[in-house]
Amino acid sequence: MGTDWAHIEDGTGKKEDLNNKIIFRSTQGGVAVGDEVVAKGVLYLNKDYGSGYFYPVIVENAVFNK
């Protein structure tokens, strides 16, 4: 898809309910585990890309600032 995906577990939700992560999709790379960042983008709820790729919460066109 030409983008990077960052998965953030914020401590809410349950893994078995698939609601414990916020997904960020970005064309900007360079975010590593342990980095503290501020992210801005467009928030979508219940985004379905088809073929089993469904996200209750996703931020698209994310830009990360360290």
Side-chain angles (χ1 to χ4, degrees), residues 21-65:
K21 291 184 182 178
I22 300 172
I23 311 299
F24 294 86
R25 197 173 130 201
S26 176
T27 56
Q28 172 191 358
V31 177
V33 173
D35 284 351
E36 291 187 23
V37 298
V38 174
K40 292 184 180 183
V42 180
L43 176 72
Y44 291 94
L45 300 176
N46 301 317
K47 184 78 173 190
D48 189 351
Y49 289 101
S51 299
Y53 293 98
F54 174 81
Y55 299 94
V57 178
I58 188 167
V59 178
E60 292 191 349
N61 302 318
V63 176
F64 301 102
N65 293 304

Side-chain angles (χ1 to χ4, degrees), residues 7-35:
H7 297 236
I8 307 295
E9 291 185 18
D10 67 353
T12 61
K14 296 179 182 176
K15 187 174 185 175
E16 56 272 6
D17 292 339
L18 302 176
N19 64 0
N20 67 327
K21 291 184 182 178
I22 300 172
I23 311 299
F24 294 86
R25 197 173 130 201
S26 176
T27 56
Q28 172 191 358
V31 177
V33 173
D35 284 351

